[in-house]
Amino acid sequence: MKYKLIVDKQAEEEIIAVVHAPSSLTQQIETLVRTHTGQDSLLGQGESGMRRLLFSDIECITVLRRKVIAIDSDGRHYRLSESLRDLEAILPAYFIRINKSALANEQRIQRFDAVFSGGVDAVFACGHRDYVSRRCFADIRRRYESI
């Protein structure tokens, strides 16, 4: 397989992939290209003021006490001004919905734990836990089964 990147600020951006047959890699590339907005961070209000949060540093975005909160890799909480629905539209494809009021960075989920009540919790690298709804868990399972 060959790879070529040409950086030309004057040219219109274009991505062309020539392949023999579609595969999981070509599907991932297509998803990345279609969902990429050029944005790679959000502004969050923390205890020490405003901070730029890289998408890759965000573990989970959830609603707590009617406020949208981003939790970073150190477990710190940052208030976001965007709604969860608006964030879902701009975040990369590796952010998945885990329940009605939470989006998770699937690259930062360490494991899924079964809980006594019969549900499932997502456990993140920073130690944060959030429940996974049955509907979302079924979608996540289908996603992993297709890989």
Side-chain angles (χ1 to χ4, degrees):
M1 180 183 291
K2 295 180 182 179
Y3 172 77
K4 181 193 276 187
L5 176 67
I6 301 169
V7 178
D8 182 356
K9 294 185 182 202
Q10 306 301 321
E12 180 182 353
E13 287 188 344
E14 165 181 50
I15 296 176
I16 299 171
V18 179
V19 297
H20 295 286
S23 66
S24 63
L25 176 62
T26 59
Q27 290 173 347
Q28 289 174 347
I29 292 169
E30 183 178 358
T31 301
L32 177 66
V33 170
R34 289 186 187 277
T35 60
H36 183 68
T37 61
Q39 185 175 356
D40 67 347
S41 64
L42 298 169
L43 283 178
Q45 177 68 43
E47 293 176 5
S48 59
M50 294 291 278
R51 179 173 169 230
R52 185 173 151 240
L53 302 167
L54 295 174
F55 291 158
S56 59
D57 290 340
I58 298 172
E59 304 240 333
C60 180
I61 298 174
T62 188
V63 177
L64 299 172
R65 294 181 292 285
R66 302 186 68 168
K67 294 181 178 140
V68 179
I69 305 294
I71 302 171
D72 74 359
S73 55
D74 293 324
R76 292 186 295 253
H77 293 208
Y78 295 90
R79 169 90 162 80
L80 302 176
S81 59
E82 298 89 348
S83 71
L84 209 57
R85 180 171 287 167
D86 293 341
L87 289 169
E88 194 170 22
I90 64 169
L91 288 169
Y94 56 84
F95 275 88
I96 57 175
R97 185 167 289 274
I98 58 170
N99 62 51
K100 188 171 88 172
S101 59
L103 298 169
N105 181 342
E106 80 175 317
Q107 298 170 342
R108 305 293 296 180
I109 296 174
Q110 282 194 324
R111 67 183 183 277
F112 293 100
D113 278 350
V115 292
F116 183 70
S117 63
V120 175
D121 280 356
V123 180
F124 296 90
C126 71
H128 176 73
R129 297 175 75 98
D130 209 334
Y131 80 95
V132 180
S133 71
R134 287 184 207 162
R135 171 184 269 163
C136 293
F137 189 66
D139 291 342
I140 293 167
R141 279 185 37 198
R142 273 189 238 108
R143 182 178 176 136
Y144 284 127
E145 286 172 356
S146 68
I147 294 177

